[in-house]
Amino acid sequence: MDLQGKIIAVLPERSGVSARGEWKAGSFVLETHDQYPKKMVFDVFGADRLAQFAIKAGEELIVSFDIDAHEYQGRWYNSIRAWNVQRVDAAAAQAAAPVAAAPVAPAPAPVDGANAPFPAQSEGESTDDLPF
């Protein structure tokens, strides 16, 4: 999956040692440019990918990622891992961002008493048109 947006936060790197050796991961928060912006936290796993992507706050990116879930002690956790990052020109991103709707002009004023909610009734006519 791909998602485009602006990096609004760079979280502290995490590192450790596992049975396979030393590991390093970084987390980043991306905000979309939709009418109702959404935020997503994604991880980049591996010192080589962290160095290759070199993600900084304020950058406009297209992030390709995989979503997976794992179970730990009876609870389920989602994992969103980026496998590719492409930088987007800021000017192009602003041009692609949705434009706010133009204000709607008020309707023209009615003419010759046409502003009444119902047509004029003759004397003796009932305004009730219900069949019961």
Side-chain angles (χ1 to χ4, degrees), residues 13-92:
E13 280 187 6
R14 301 176 315 279
S15 62
V17 179
S18 69
R20 296 183 189 164
E22 195 171 323
W23 60 269
K24 194 181 270 191
S27 296
F28 307 90
V29 181
L30 180 126
E31 183 176 50
T32 65
H33 299 294
D34 298 332
Q35 179 181 0
Y36 302 105
K38 296 184 177 29
K39 296 175 183 75
M40 174 185 74
V41 176
F42 66 93
D43 296 321
V44 174
F45 195 79
D48 56 336
R49 286 188 190 253
L50 284 169
Q52 175 189 358
F53 298 154
I55 300 171
K56 295 176 182 58
E59 288 185 308
E60 185 70 28
L61 302 175
I62 297 174
V63 178
S64 301
F65 58 92
D66 289 322
I67 300 174
D68 196 17
H70 64 276
E71 184 265 338
Y72 178 72
Q73 295 183 352
R75 294 191 62 184
W76 285 88
Y77 300 90
N78 288 322
S79 171
I80 302 174
R81 284 200 180 167
W83 54 269
N84 191 21
V85 172
Q86 299 172 3
R87 288 185 167 60
V88 177
D89 181 24

Side-chain angles (χ1 to χ4, degrees), residues 104-110:
V104 177

Side-chain angles (χ1 to χ4, degrees), residues 105-118:
V111 198
D112 295 336
N115 61 349
F118 302 103

